[in-house]
Amino acid sequence: MRRKQVGIVAALLAIGVVTLTACGQGATQSGSAAPAQEQAQVENAADNAVETDATSGVDLLRGTANSNKADQNTGDRAPENAPVETRQKWVELRAGNAGGLEPAVVNGKGLSVYWFSDDPVGGGVSNCNGECAKTWPAITVTKGTRLFFPGIRKENISFIKRQDGQFQVAIGGRPAYLFNKDKKAGDILGQNVGNKWFVMNPEGKRAVPKAEAPGQNNGQQGQPAPGAKPANSVTFFSGKNQKDFDDSFAVGVKVESKCADLRGGFLSLNPDGAVKIWSEPGCKGKSAVVSTAVNDASAAPIGFPEGVKSYIAA
């Protein structure tokens, strides 16, 4: 466990991704050496980023697979014929868009995630086994699997034990599955199959078109969506549209009730609840409260030309 945490700290310090500071201390300039106090805060943030589930032995981490340097030839992006041990190296479940349904849960390859109405909510069992499981592969994990969950509240994630003894991820008490006919990001060919299979949202409920989603504020300034809980974590992306590859990167952080500065401006974000964002370091400048994903903080209605530079719990 300690080696994992040291590795995350080293990665963060190497690229100068994020520095947490008290409100009023200001941001550390990109490329400059961070003071010892700020480096300690970065290390604390990384230490908090790993939590091992006592039941399954799965390591839960904030941020994305890319931001955590997950091996691109394993986990969700492993070949379909790869051994199960390779495919279980890591799993990413993130809030996103699935064929126009938003927010919806997708995996690290962008494939839509489903729930089955025959599974009792919170019942701890899956009723899709045998031939059913060939059509609807369960999202399974094992001890040591790294699970990334940007945009999903950790409290909504749990694990059930299947008939074959494997652990399956559940969201909102509902076991999570893929559909074997979905081949690319955005496919939702399993939606409403038999009136029993539905694309899942980050609370484990039925995902709906964005315009119909209750409480969606599309990142508008002002108060968060009615009933939105304060964010526990948020993933910031240096590029637009939650891009964390090529020349863009992401960082997952814990949200607290003190101002935290980002090193540089971040143009998109995916929170798991309500968070207040600011256009300048030290929680200064323009601000907005958001509780759903923002794909372009530089555009209206947010309008932060250089992106988000600091944040605090809403």
Side-chain angles (χ1 to χ4, degrees), residues 93-98 100-106 111-116 121 139 149-153 156-157 169-177 188 191 197-210 212-216 270-272 292:
L93 297 174
R94 64 193 294 171
N97 184 296
L101 307 177
E102 186 178 349
V105 178
V106 298
L111 297 177
S112 305
V113 176
Y114 297 84
W115 58 273
F116 183 32
V121 181
I139 297 178
F149 52 101
I152 301 175
R153 296 184 71 85
N156 287 336
I157 298 173
V169 182
I171 298 179
R174 286 190 166 103
Y177 306 84
I188 53 171
Q191 177 73 338
W197 293 91
F198 306 98
V199 176
M200 176 182 285
N201 77 8
E203 296 179 348
K205 300 175 182 178
R206 189 184 304 194
V208 298
K210 188 172 183 179
E212 300 175 19
Q216 292 293 303
N270 198 335
D272 67 359
T292 56

Side-chain angles (χ1 to χ4, degrees), residues 129-235:
N129 298 282
E131 289 300 313
C132 175
K134 295 179 181 178
T135 302
W136 301 93
I139 297 178
T140 59
V141 291
T142 189
K143 182 178 180 180
T145 297
R146 295 198 296 166
L147 176 60
F148 313 111
F149 52 101
I152 301 175
R153 296 184 71 85
K154 184 164 62 64
E155 66 198 50
N156 287 336
I157 298 173
S158 59
F159 305 90
I160 68 161
K161 204 161 192 179
R162 295 178 53 77
Q163 284 184 2
D164 60 7
Q166 292 196 79
F167 284 104
Q168 180 176 1
V169 182
I171 298 179
R174 286 190 166 103
Y177 306 84
L178 301 174
F179 184 45
N180 68 359
K181 293 185 179 179
D182 286 349
K183 298 301 182 183
K184 63 183 185 302
D187 283 352
I188 53 171
L189 300 178
Q191 177 73 338
N192 291 319
V193 168
N195 201 30
K196 290 191 173 185
W197 293 91
F198 306 98
V199 176
M200 176 182 285
N201 77 8
E203 296 179 348
K205 300 175 182 178
R206 189 184 304 194
V208 298
K210 188 172 183 179
E212 300 175 19
Q216 292 293 303
N217 63 3
N218 297 323
Q220 293 181 20
Q221 300 184 68
Q223 296 302 310
K229 297 179 180 179
N232 291 320
S233 65
V234 57
T235 302

Side-chain angles (χ1 to χ4, degrees), residues 30-92:
S30 180
S32 62
Q37 179 183 5
E38 293 180 340
Q39 288 186 5
Q41 289 173 316
V42 172
E43 181 167 356
N44 289 340
D47 286 344
N48 289 334
V50 181
E51 181 175 328
T52 302
D53 178 72
T55 301
S56 64
V58 170
D59 291 335
L60 294 98
L61 296 94
R62 291 189 294 273
T64 66
N66 286 350
S67 70
N68 283 282
K69 309 297 183 184
D71 186 340
Q72 298 300 295
N73 295 313
T74 65
D76 289 350
R77 296 169 195 163
E80 290 186 10
N81 60 353
V84 65
E85 313 87 69
T86 300
R87 289 183 276 115
Q88 289 182 338
K89 290 291 185 182
W90 59 267
V91 170
E92 181 178 81

